[in-house]
Amino acid sequence: MSQVAAKTDRYITFEGIECDEQAQRVVRYIRDCLALPTHAPAAWTDYFARKLDEIAQMGQDELFFVGSQVNYIRELFEQHGHQDGLAVLDQIEDECC
């Protein structure tokens, strides 16, 4: 008899879902993209720098930030061809938001 791994389901439990860790990875990937001098348009750099400062000042966590900025983050990652970032963002949307 073979065992099939059950897909995580946030509507049942968050056990086994590492939402906070995944969100922290996304924020690191954003910072990586912004650090690339030839690829990060000033508008993105300013926007995300301001937003990251705001969440720190308000005491919000990375998961809240990622959940509220999904579309902008996706656009940034797409512009940079950041496949790892897009994959983690998709996982967060599916499992955590």
Side-chain angles (χ1 to χ4, degrees), residues 23-35:
Q24 290 167 3
R25 284 179 59 197
V26 168
V27 170
R28 280 195 308 271
Y29 292 155
I30 291 169
R31 292 184 194 281
D32 290 347
C33 287
L34 299 179

Side-chain angles (χ1 to χ4, degrees), residues 59-79:
Q60 295 171 335
D61 61 14
E62 288 89 351
L63 183 57
F64 177 85
F65 169 73
V66 172
S68 64
Q69 301 292 317
V70 167
N71 293 329
Y72 298 117
I73 296 169
R74 181 173 309 285
E75 188 170 335
L76 177 72
F77 288 163
E78 286 173 351
Q79 285 183 355

Side-chain angles (χ1 to χ4, degrees), residues 30-54 65 72 76 79-80:
I30 291 169
R31 292 184 194 281
D32 290 347
C33 287
L34 299 179
L36 299 171
T38 58
H39 291 96
W44 280 127
T45 303
D46 295 343
Y47 178 79
F48 281 111
R50 186 177 70 250
K51 288 296 182 184
L52 291 170
D53 285 343
E54 286 174 5
F65 169 73
Y72 298 117
L76 177 72
Q79 285 183 355
H80 289 289

Side-chain angles (χ1 to χ4, degrees), residues 84-95:
D84 290 342
L86 289 167
V88 175
L89 190 61
D90 286 341
Q91 183 178 0
I92 287 175
E93 274 192 290
D94 186 46
E95 295 179 352

